[in-house]
Amino acid sequence: MTVMFPWMRRGIPRRCRCLLHSAVQLLCCAFAVFIFALLFILFFRAILIQHRLDVELGARPEETKDLVDEARSMERAERLAGALKIPTISYKTDQQETQAFHTLHDYLQKSFPIIHSHPAVKREIVNELSLLYTVHGTKSGNIPYLLASHLDVVPVNEKGWAHPPFGGFIANNTYIYGRGAIDDKGGVLGILEALEYLLEQGYRPHRTFFIAFGHDEEVSGKRGAQEIAKLLQQRGIKELDFVLDEGFPVSDELIPGTSRPVAMVGVSEKGTATVELSVTGTPGHSSFPPAESAIGILAAALARLEHNPLPSMFGYGPEKNMFEYIAPHVSSFYKTVYSNLWFFGKMMEYKMESQPITNAFVRTTTAITLFHGGVKENIVPPSATAVVNFRIHPAQTVNEVVDYTRNIIADPRVQLKIKRSRESHPVSPHGPHSVQYQMVSTSIRQIFRQAIVVPAVFIANTDTRWYLNFTTNLYRFLPTMVKLSDVPRYHGNNERISVEHFHQAVNFYYRVMKNADLLILNGHTTRPFAAEL
Ligand SMILES: CCCCCCCC/C=C\CCCCCCCC(=O)NCC(=O)O
Ligand SMILES: [Zn+2]
Ligand SMILES: [Zn+2]
């Protein structure tokens, strides 16, 4: 049976029919060649990137036996649980549970006797509530590094918890529950446990390092990490080799195309802007109200903001790099997609926008976090205020976000005031020549054996902002594991860490302390710095 195409009908002269038929055939061939060439380019690019990264990153590190003893992991879990019982809450910059911080200082002192009596370790209280430890190395002349975590936690909503948030409860010898378990007392205790074990083994770190525990990270870090940074500066510390602070946990089952866990190391972090919106009305009797109240005007403005999120910036910032690093480790289909975001960007963007945690990678996020208005049920409100917290994608600036907000609100009755802002952080080195990044990556892979380690932009904020002047090597990573279902526990209900993952956290910091010493043996960090170290 011959197929009859429309241009082959009898009404059209035979010559034209032949010409048209040949033209269509030619077009079909050209289209097929185009598709074939496109697939070839996409796949070839994926192979090229894979090859480059394989060459750059080399093989998985050897399995190490030099780890923290597992036999005492329950004992360590109980010490963390003890710290979780102490409610070191930050409500606002000038409102904290100050007494609890003193209790925590004493608790740490009692719980880690070797650290607190060791001649090579100096502990200082900075600005009353923060802690700075200096661990003096045996070899002078090396640039020190800094490990950071924070002592404060965010407030809780007791009702939503299965176990009391400040009860230090360990469920079935498996999960340690409590506010701060992952953010960030797991980090504080993880670092101290690692150091305690290191010193107990009789190991003296070769190079000097600092441990900085700020007390107000959750409300800016101005009184904690900023003061620690000032103190270091006053002591003549001009340079730090690297800073390692809280960041992404290792995520399981979150990246399409691989069943392996992915460890994203924050090599930058999003900017932030906290904007207060306010409307002033005329108070009066609620029995003859105006057509629009201050609360109504503000609520409408906020609804406009929520319905008009900032545009996707996916592919315009350093996040593109993250997918290229994942590409070599995923199935062929995703390898091609992740290596060619210039082509598949829209498809990926669509997928990422579907969940809050992945949406945060794509755009500047808008969170309405506070709303106040009204004084009494029968008074027309004199004013209403709200606070909106933006986390700014690296391809945008604070000014752009504020201009966008003003345009969307488009109502002169709504006043905008920037309460706090900061641009996104510069991207830290993360290639094959960055020995500091590679040291962090190796330490991760020594503990999380299956993990794919990739650079990423951290979507939240950390105390690293206060150390930006000391080094370009700032890394944000939390050595624990989360699944998608665990993500709401951050600043939410039922925060917890498993005993096993806490043990991995201790081991990770232990490896960092050992591996950082190996860097100086290889002669990487010998440069002059402050004499008193
Ligand atoms: C392809 C993308 C995969 C995304 C997988 C991401 C998994 C990460 C899981 C959780 C990240 C949550 C980070 C929360 C950080 C907390 C630090 C903090 O509270 N800082 C203060 C602040 O930002 O206000
Ligand atoms: Zn934190
Ligand atoms: Zn937090």
Side-chain angles (χ1 to χ4, degrees):
M1 193 186 85
T2 5
V3 183
M4 182 66 80
F5 294 105
W7 60 85
M8 294 170 93
R9 300 246 158 77
R10 292 237 156 250
I12 306 173
R14 191 181 153 73
R15 216 183 137 76
C16 287
R17 270 189 279 154
C18 284
L19 262 175
L20 274 169
H21 190 62
S22 308
V24 170
Q25 270 180 331
L26 204 71
L27 268 176
C28 286
C29 282
F31 185 67
V33 169
F34 171 74
I35 294 291
F36 184 77
L38 184 67
L39 285 176
F40 181 77
I41 291 170
L42 294 177
F43 199 67
F44 185 67
R45 221 182 107 82
I47 300 296
L48 260 187
I49 287 173
Q50 164 148 17
H51 177 70
R52 174 170 62 79
L53 293 176
D54 274 354
V55 171
E56 276 183 9
L57 300 177
R60 176 173 299 280
E62 290 280 307
E63 194 164 347
T64 176
K65 296 256 180 305
D66 184 10
L67 295 168
V68 173
D69 63 331
E70 204 172 348
R72 285 190 282 165
S73 57
M74 202 59 210
E75 197 185 296
R76 294 192 183 96
E78 275 158 15
R79 269 195 291 272
L80 171 60
L84 297 181
K85 287 183 186 162
I86 307 168
T88 48
I89 304 173
S90 286
Y91 301 99
K92 293 180 183 170
T93 29
D94 51 356
Q95 203 187 335
Q96 291 183 287
E97 294 286 350
T98 43
Q99 188 47 47
F101 288 88
H102 297 298
T103 310
L104 182 59
H105 293 177
D106 294 347
Y107 177 79
L108 296 179
Q109 200 153 18
K110 276 196 210 101
S111 304
F112 299 100
I114 303 178
I115 295 177
H116 290 89
S117 59
H118 201 283
V121 183
K122 182 165 104 186
R123 185 201 79 147
E124 292 167 275
I125 295 178
V126 181
N127 201 15
E128 290 179 32
L129 304 180
S130 287
L131 292 176
L132 173 68
Y133 292 81
T134 307
V135 182
H136 291 275
T138 51
K139 295 185 175 30
S140 58
N142 295 290
I143 308 169
Y145 64 92
L146 185 142
L147 304 178
S149 279
H150 59 88
L151 302 172
D152 61 327
V153 297
V154 292
V156 293
N157 166 24
E158 297 242 7
K159 284 194 193 117
W161 286 66
H163 307 289
F166 297 106
F169 184 72
I170 306 183
N172 303 323
N173 284 346
T174 310
Y175 286 108
I176 314 155
Y177 277 82
R179 172 60 86 227
I182 39 177
D183 184 12
D184 188 22
K185 286 182 181 163
V188 171
L189 276 278
I191 293 171
L192 293 178
E193 289 287 356
L195 181 59
E196 182 85 355
Y197 184 75
L198 199 79
L199 299 174
E200 186 190 78
Q201 298 302 299
Y203 184 85
R204 273 289 306 271
H206 303 331
R207 59 194 294 195
T208 295
F209 66 97
F210 300 107
I211 299 173
F213 295 149
H215 71 272
D216 64 343
E217 189 277 342
E218 295 291 4
V219 285
S220 81
K222 276 193 174 156
R223 297 177 187 208
Q226 177 170 233
E227 291 303 317
I228 293 174
K230 277 189 197 159
L231 187 67
L232 292 177
Q233 219 153 22
Q234 280 162 18
R235 297 203 171 145
I237 311 294
K238 294 196 173 61
E239 195 180 1
L240 291 169
D241 190 28
F242 65 90
V243 171
L244 179 62
D245 199 351
E246 64 174 331
F248 285 119
V250 182
S251 51
D252 214 2
E253 303 163 0
L254 269 165
I255 312 279
T258 179
S259 53
R260 283 173 58 187
V262 176
M264 294 183 291
V265 177
V267 293
S268 170
E269 74 182 44
K270 285 175 100 175
T272 185
T274 299
V275 180
E276 186 183 81
L277 309 184
S278 58
V279 177
T280 310
T282 311
H285 201 287
S286 65
S287 60
F288 48 95
E292 286 181 292
S293 67
I295 293 179
I297 295 165
L298 186 57
L302 293 170
R304 282 199 290 284
L305 270 186
E306 269 194 347
H307 293 147
N308 295 282
L310 280 106
S312 163
M313 287 284 137
F314 188 62
Y316 292 96
E319 72 277 357
K320 179 170 154 264
N321 218 229
M322 165 175 121
F323 285 98
E324 288 189 351
Y325 273 78
I326 299 175
H329 309 280
V330 295
S331 61
S332 301
F333 171 73
Y334 279 104
K335 197 189 294 301
T336 311
V337 171
Y338 293 167
S339 308
N340 293 287
L341 287 186
W342 60 276
F343 189 75
F344 294 108
K346 278 284 157 209
M347 182 183 101
M348 278 300 294
E349 182 182 302
Y350 181 73
K351 189 163 172 52
M352 304 243 330
E353 282 175 331
S354 64
Q355 283 188 50
I357 187 72
T358 43
N359 181 47
F361 285 74
V362 167
R363 57 163 43 80
T364 296
T365 50
T366 307
I368 301 165
T369 48
L370 291 169
F371 191 101
H372 298 294
V375 278
K376 193 174 180 298
E377 67 177 42
N378 61 353
I379 298 178
V380 171
S383 67
T385 58
V387 169
V388 185
N389 185 233
F390 297 95
R391 300 303 172 108
I392 304 173
H393 188 279
Q396 272 173 335
T397 62
V398 172
N399 278 343
E400 283 166 359
V401 171
V402 174
D403 286 349
Y404 179 90
T405 305
R406 229 183 276 281
N407 286 338
I408 292 295
I409 291 175
D411 186 340
R413 294 171 298 177
V414 181
Q415 300 295 308
L416 265 68
K417 185 169 150 200
I418 305 172
K419 304 268 287 179
R420 217 146 46 85
S421 71
R422 149 125 233 139
E423 304 293 354
S424 63
H425 291 193
V427 180
S428 296
H430 54 271
H433 304 297
S434 166
V435 286
Q436 295 83 357
Y437 176 83
Q438 295 304 333
M439 188 279 296
V440 173
S441 166
T442 299
S443 307
I444 295 172
R445 289 180 298 154
Q446 282 178 329
I447 306 306
F448 301 91
R449 297 291 299 158
Q450 293 306 314
I452 303 166
V453 181
V454 296
V457 177
F458 190 49
I459 54 170
N461 296 124
T462 65
D463 271 340
T464 54
R465 61 180 288 196
W466 304 110
Y467 305 115
L468 283 168
N469 290 338
F470 290 93
T471 179
T472 52
N473 306 314
L474 298 119
Y475 303 108
R476 304 149 190 89
F477 174 68
L478 189 79
T480 186
M481 259 182 145
V482 300
K483 293 189 182 309
L484 186 59
S485 55
D486 290 320
V487 173
R489 298 179 197 276
Y490 274 93
H491 289 197
N493 299 333
N494 297 314
E495 187 177 343
R496 69 179 190 190
I497 186 169
S498 75
V499 174
E500 184 196 342
H501 291 154
F502 181 57
H503 178 64
Q504 285 181 304
V506 176
N507 256 325
F508 167 76
Y509 290 117
Y510 177 77
R511 286 311 319 160
V512 167
M513 289 170 198
K514 280 283 176 90
N515 292 337
D517 271 356
L518 290 179
L519 293 187
I520 59 167
L521 293 182
N522 295 335
H524 286 298
T525 70
T526 318
R527 260 183 269 157
F529 68 105
E532 63 264 41
L533 289 168

